[in-house]
PDB file of all heavy atoms in Angstrom:
ATOM      1  N   PRO A   8      -2.879  -2.448 -30.168  1.00 97.00           N
ATOM      2  CA  PRO A   8      -1.939  -1.942 -31.177  1.00 97.00           C
ATOM      3  C   PRO A   8      -2.510  -0.731 -31.920  1.00 97.00           C
ATOM      4  O   PRO A   8      -3.725  -0.581 -32.054  1.00 97.00           O
ATOM      5  CB  PRO A   8      -1.782  -3.121 -32.144  1.00 97.00           C
ATOM      6  CG  PRO A   8      -2.281  -4.314 -31.409  1.00 97.00           C
ATOM      7  CD  PRO A   8      -3.287  -3.830 -30.411  1.00 97.00           C
ATOM      8  N   VAL A   9      -1.614   0.102 -32.406  1.00 97.00           N
ATOM      9  CA  VAL A   9      -2.000   1.232 -33.246  1.00 97.00           C
ATOM     10  C   VAL A   9      -2.317   0.691 -34.641  1.00 97.00           C
ATOM     11  O   VAL A   9      -1.535  -0.060 -35.218  1.00 97.00           O
ATOM     12  CB  VAL A   9      -0.869   2.273 -33.334  1.00 97.00           C
ATOM     13  CG1 VAL A   9      -1.219   3.381 -34.317  1.00 97.00           C
ATOM     14  CG2 VAL A   9      -0.566   2.849 -31.954  1.00 97.00           C
ATOM     15  N   LEU A  10      -3.465   1.071 -35.156  1.00 96.00           N
ATOM     16  CA  LEU A  10      -3.886   0.689 -36.502  1.00 96.00           C
ATOM     17  C   LEU A  10      -3.733   1.890 -37.433  1.00 96.00           C
ATOM     18  O   LEU A  10      -3.716   3.036 -36.965  1.00 96.00           O
ATOM     19  CB  LEU A  10      -5.345   0.232 -36.482  1.00 96.00           C
ATOM     20  CG  LEU A  10      -5.665  -0.917 -35.516  1.00 96.00           C
ATOM     21  CD1 LEU A  10      -7.161  -1.146 -35.446  1.00 96.00           C
ATOM     22  CD2 LEU A  10      -4.919  -2.167 -35.940  1.00 96.00           C
ATOM     23  N   PRO A  11      -3.636   1.665 -38.733  1.00 94.00           N
ATOM     24  CA  PRO A  11      -3.508   2.803 -39.660  1.00 94.00           C
ATOM     25  C   PRO A  11      -4.598   3.856 -39.476  1.00 94.00           C
ATOM     26  O   PRO A  11      -4.327   5.051 -39.578  1.00 94.00           O
ATOM     27  CB  PRO A  11      -3.582   2.146 -41.039  1.00 94.00           C
ATOM     28  CG  PRO A  11      -3.034   0.772 -40.811  1.00 94.00           C
ATOM     29  CD  PRO A  11      -3.524   0.379 -39.428  1.00 94.00           C
ATOM     30  N   ARG A  12      -5.788   3.434 -39.157  1.00 95.00           N
ATOM     31  CA  ARG A  12      -6.884   4.396 -38.976  1.00 95.00           C
ATOM     32  C   ARG A  12      -6.698   5.274 -37.729  1.00 95.00           C
ATOM     33  O   ARG A  12      -7.381   6.274 -37.563  1.00 95.00           O
ATOM     34  CB  ARG A  12      -8.221   3.668 -38.914  1.00 95.00           C
ATOM     35  CG  ARG A  12      -8.408   2.846 -37.649  1.00 95.00           C
ATOM     36  CD  ARG A  12      -9.816   2.268 -37.544  1.00 95.00           C
ATOM     37  NE  ARG A  12     -10.016   1.668 -36.255  1.00 95.00           N
ATOM     38  CZ  ARG A  12     -10.126   0.371 -36.029  1.00 95.00           C
ATOM     39  NH1 ARG A  12     -10.102  -0.477 -37.040  1.00 95.00           N
ATOM     40  NH2 ARG A  12     -10.299  -0.084 -34.812  1.00 95.00           N
ATOM     41  N   ASP A  13      -5.784   4.901 -36.831  1.00 97.00           N
ATOM     42  CA  ASP A  13      -5.545   5.654 -35.604  1.00 97.00           C
ATOM     43  C   ASP A  13      -4.613   6.851 -35.800  1.00 97.00           C
ATOM     44  O   ASP A  13      -4.524   7.709 -34.927  1.00 97.00           O
ATOM     45  CB  ASP A  13      -4.929   4.753 -34.530  1.00 97.00           C
ATOM     46  CG  ASP A  13      -5.853   3.655 -34.066  1.00 97.00           C
ATOM     47  OD1 ASP A  13      -7.057   3.944 -33.873  1.00 97.00           O
ATOM     48  OD2 ASP A  13      -5.373   2.522 -33.881  1.00 97.00           O
ATOM     49  N   HIS A  14      -3.897   6.907 -36.907  1.00 96.00           N
ATOM     50  CA  HIS A  14      -2.862   7.933 -37.076  1.00 96.00           C
ATOM     51  C   HIS A  14      -3.424   9.350 -36.978  1.00 96.00           C
ATOM     52  O   HIS A  14      -2.829  10.217 -36.339  1.00 96.00           O
ATOM     53  CB  HIS A  14      -2.096   7.721 -38.377  1.00 96.00           C
ATOM     54  CG  HIS A  14      -1.116   6.599 -38.274  1.00 96.00           C
ATOM     55  ND1 HIS A  14       0.211   6.758 -38.551  1.00 96.00           N
ATOM     56  CD2 HIS A  14      -1.263   5.306 -37.894  1.00 96.00           C
ATOM     57  CE1 HIS A  14       0.847   5.608 -38.361  1.00 96.00           C
ATOM     58  NE2 HIS A  14      -0.040   4.714 -37.965  1.00 96.00           N
ATOM     59  N   SER A  15      -4.556   9.601 -37.582  1.00 96.00           N
ATOM     60  CA  SER A  15      -5.161  10.932 -37.523  1.00 96.00           C
ATOM     61  C   SER A  15      -5.575  11.273 -36.088  1.00 96.00           C
ATOM     62  O   SER A  15      -5.360  12.394 -35.610  1.00 96.00           O
ATOM     63  CB  SER A  15      -6.366  10.999 -38.461  1.00 96.00           C
ATOM     64  OG  SER A  15      -6.992  12.244 -38.369  1.00 96.00           O
ATOM     65  N   TYR A  16      -6.159  10.317 -35.403  1.00 97.00           N
ATOM     66  CA  TYR A  16      -6.562  10.478 -34.000  1.00 97.00           C
ATOM     67  C   TYR A  16      -5.348  10.836 -33.141  1.00 97.00           C
ATOM     68  O   TYR A  16      -5.375  11.800 -32.369  1.00 97.00           O
ATOM     69  CB  TYR A  16      -7.216   9.177 -33.532  1.00 97.00           C
ATOM     70  CG  TYR A  16      -7.395   9.045 -32.045  1.00 97.00           C
ATOM     71  CD1 TYR A  16      -8.455   9.678 -31.395  1.00 97.00           C
ATOM     72  CD2 TYR A  16      -6.524   8.277 -31.282  1.00 97.00           C
ATOM     73  CE1 TYR A  16      -8.625   9.546 -30.020  1.00 97.00           C
ATOM     74  CE2 TYR A  16      -6.688   8.145 -29.919  1.00 97.00           C
ATOM     75  CZ  TYR A  16      -7.733   8.781 -29.292  1.00 97.00           C
ATOM     76  OH  TYR A  16      -7.900   8.659 -27.938  1.00 97.00           O
ATOM     77  N   CYS A  17      -4.269  10.072 -33.299  1.00 97.00           N
ATOM     78  CA  CYS A  17      -3.064  10.283 -32.493  1.00 97.00           C
ATOM     79  C   CYS A  17      -2.408  11.623 -32.817  1.00 97.00           C
ATOM     80  O   CYS A  17      -1.955  12.336 -31.913  1.00 97.00           O
ATOM     81  CB  CYS A  17      -2.080   9.143 -32.706  1.00 97.00           C
ATOM     82  SG  CYS A  17      -2.664   7.546 -32.103  1.00 97.00           S
ATOM     83  N   TRP A  18      -2.359  11.953 -34.108  1.00 98.00           N
ATOM     84  CA  TRP A  18      -1.759  13.222 -34.511  1.00 98.00           C
ATOM     85  C   TRP A  18      -2.521  14.390 -33.892  1.00 98.00           C
ATOM     86  O   TRP A  18      -1.921  15.334 -33.367  1.00 98.00           O
ATOM     87  CB  TRP A  18      -1.717  13.362 -36.022  1.00 98.00           C
ATOM     88  CG  TRP A  18      -1.391  14.764 -36.445  1.00 98.00           C
ATOM     89  CD1 TRP A  18      -2.233  15.671 -37.015  1.00 98.00           C
ATOM     90  CD2 TRP A  18      -0.142  15.440 -36.278  1.00 98.00           C
ATOM     91  NE1 TRP A  18      -1.577  16.867 -37.212  1.00 98.00           N
ATOM     92  CE2 TRP A  18      -0.286  16.751 -36.767  1.00 98.00           C
ATOM     93  CE3 TRP A  18       1.098  15.066 -35.755  1.00 98.00           C
ATOM     94  CZ2 TRP A  18       0.742  17.678 -36.759  1.00 98.00           C
ATOM     95  CZ3 TRP A  18       2.127  16.005 -35.742  1.00 98.00           C
ATOM     96  CH2 TRP A  18       1.947  17.285 -36.249  1.00 98.00           C
ATOM     97  N   THR A  19      -3.820  14.352 -33.921  1.00 97.00           N
ATOM     98  CA  THR A  19      -4.630  15.449 -33.384  1.00 97.00           C
ATOM     99  C   THR A  19      -4.381  15.642 -31.896  1.00 97.00           C
ATOM    100  O   THR A  19      -4.217  16.779 -31.428  1.00 97.00           O
ATOM    101  CB  THR A  19      -6.122  15.191 -33.661  1.00 97.00           C
ATOM    102  OG1 THR A  19      -6.314  15.088 -35.071  1.00 97.00           O
ATOM    103  CG2 THR A  19      -6.992  16.303 -33.107  1.00 97.00           C
ATOM    104  N   ILE A  20      -4.341  14.557 -31.140  1.00 97.00           N
ATOM    105  CA  ILE A  20      -4.085  14.662 -29.698  1.00 97.00           C
ATOM    106  C   ILE A  20      -2.703  15.256 -29.453  1.00 97.00           C
ATOM    107  O   ILE A  20      -2.536  16.157 -28.627  1.00 97.00           O
ATOM    108  CB  ILE A  20      -4.217  13.289 -29.009  1.00 97.00           C
ATOM    109  CG1 ILE A  20      -5.643  12.785 -29.078  1.00 97.00           C
ATOM    110  CG2 ILE A  20      -3.766  13.376 -27.551  1.00 97.00           C
ATOM    111  CD1 ILE A  20      -5.795  11.349 -28.624  1.00 97.00           C
ATOM    112  N   TYR A  21      -1.711  14.756 -30.177  1.00 96.00           N
ATOM    113  CA  TYR A  21      -0.344  15.263 -30.034  1.00 96.00           C
ATOM    114  C   TYR A  21      -0.280  16.747 -30.381  1.00 96.00           C
ATOM    115  O   TYR A  21       0.222  17.556 -29.601  1.00 96.00           O
ATOM    116  CB  TYR A  21       0.604  14.460 -30.928  1.00 96.00           C
ATOM    117  CG  TYR A  21       1.970  15.081 -31.033  1.00 96.00           C
ATOM    118  CD1 TYR A  21       2.922  14.840 -30.051  1.00 96.00           C
ATOM    119  CD2 TYR A  21       2.301  15.920 -32.091  1.00 96.00           C
ATOM    120  CE1 TYR A  21       4.181  15.419 -30.134  1.00 96.00           C
ATOM    121  CE2 TYR A  21       3.550  16.505 -32.171  1.00 96.00           C
ATOM    122  CZ  TYR A  21       4.483  16.253 -31.201  1.00 96.00           C
ATOM    123  OH  TYR A  21       5.716  16.841 -31.265  1.00 96.00           O
ATOM    124  N   ARG A  22      -0.767  17.113 -31.563  1.00 96.00           N
ATOM    125  CA  ARG A  22      -0.682  18.497 -32.038  1.00 96.00           C
ATOM    126  C   ARG A  22      -1.375  19.456 -31.072  1.00 96.00           C
ATOM    127  O   ARG A  22      -0.826  20.495 -30.706  1.00 96.00           O
ATOM    128  CB  ARG A  22      -1.311  18.622 -33.420  1.00 96.00           C
ATOM    129  CG  ARG A  22      -1.181  20.036 -34.016  1.00 96.00           C
ATOM    130  CD  ARG A  22      -2.148  20.286 -35.135  1.00 96.00           C
ATOM    131  NE  ARG A  22      -3.503  20.111 -34.626  1.00 96.00           N
ATOM    132  CZ  ARG A  22      -4.483  19.527 -35.319  1.00 96.00           C
ATOM    133  NH1 ARG A  22      -4.273  19.057 -36.527  1.00 96.00           N
ATOM    134  NH2 ARG A  22      -5.691  19.406 -34.799  1.00 96.00           N
ATOM    135  N   ASP A  23      -2.574  19.113 -30.648  1.00 94.00           N
ATOM    136  CA  ASP A  23      -3.328  20.006 -29.773  1.00 94.00           C
ATOM    137  C   ASP A  23      -2.666  20.168 -28.405  1.00 94.00           C
ATOM    138  O   ASP A  23      -2.781  21.225 -27.780  1.00 94.00           O
ATOM    139  CB  ASP A  23      -4.767  19.514 -29.618  1.00 94.00           C
ATOM    140  CG  ASP A  23      -5.562  19.627 -30.912  1.00 94.00           C
ATOM    141  OD1 ASP A  23      -5.057  20.213 -31.903  1.00 94.00           O
ATOM    142  OD2 ASP A  23      -6.687  19.106 -30.943  1.00 94.00           O
ATOM    143  N   ALA A  24      -1.965  19.150 -27.951  1.00 92.00           N
ATOM    144  CA  ALA A  24      -1.295  19.225 -26.652  1.00 92.00           C
ATOM    145  C   ALA A  24       0.060  19.928 -26.743  1.00 92.00           C
ATOM    146  O   ALA A  24       0.418  20.727 -25.872  1.00 92.00           O
ATOM    147  CB  ALA A  24      -1.108  17.823 -26.072  1.00 92.00           C
TER     148      ALA A  24
END
Side-chain angles (χ1 to χ4, degrees):
V9 174
L10 304 172
R12 70 173 188 250
D13 295 318
H14 284 235
S15 177
Y16 166 80
C17 294
W18 167 251
T19 301
I20 294 171
Y21 169 83
R22 183 198 59 219
D23 292 353

